[in-house]
Amino acid sequence: MIFKSVRDGRPYPEHGFTLKQWSEIPPRPLRLDQLITTKRELALDKLLAEDSTFYGDLFPHVVQWHGGLYLEDGLHRALRAALQQRNQIHARVLVLPTE
């Protein structure tokens, strides 16, 4: 199994972080088998695109909430890493309070 779990949607509350705020979080290595996806489907053309990060952040966005690591943005990059036989990626992790 590549990911810990595959979900359809975000279980955590809206955080409202902008791309600028995400860019201030330093990336850290994460194992793919620790991540829970928030999308069930992906577009094959985006997975195979050479310039898939041209308009976005180079690093995937992960939200840590209630002990889970939710892959909010970067599913294509994470899957591409798995196809290249890598078991980890560098991602920006936003830690949300558990309330």
Side-chain angles (χ1 to χ4, degrees):
M1 180 130 203
I2 296 172
F3 300 109
K4 181 177 181 178
S5 179
V6 176
R7 291 185 51 95
D8 192 19
R10 303 172 185 170
Y12 49 87
E14 179 61 40
H15 51 71
F17 256 53
T18 65
L19 281 176
K20 182 176 181 351
Q21 289 171 308
W22 274 106
S23 70
E24 294 168 357
I25 300 173
R28 68 180 207 205
L30 295 172
R31 289 188 12 216
L32 294 175
D33 63 1
Q34 296 175 313
L35 299 176
I36 303 165
T37 70
T38 59
K39 296 177 187 157
R40 282 191 169 283
E41 299 176 6
L42 61 91
L44 188 57
D45 59 335
K46 288 184 182 177
L47 175 66
L48 300 175
E50 294 282 332
D51 62 348
S52 65
T53 59
F54 185 75
Y55 294 106
D57 195 342
L58 179 63
F59 299 101
H61 297 170
V62 173
V63 175
Q64 183 175 339
W65 186 67
H66 284 284
L69 292 169
Y70 296 92
L71 182 60
E72 179 175 283
D73 179 57
L75 176 59
H76 295 87
R77 283 165 276 176
L79 193 54
R80 192 176 311 117
L83 291 172
Q84 294 171 349
Q85 304 299 313
R86 295 183 299 170
N87 63 1
Q88 71 174 10
I89 57 171
H90 282 77
R92 301 183 194 280
V93 180
L94 172 63
V95 180
L96 290 184
T98 55
E99 298 165 29

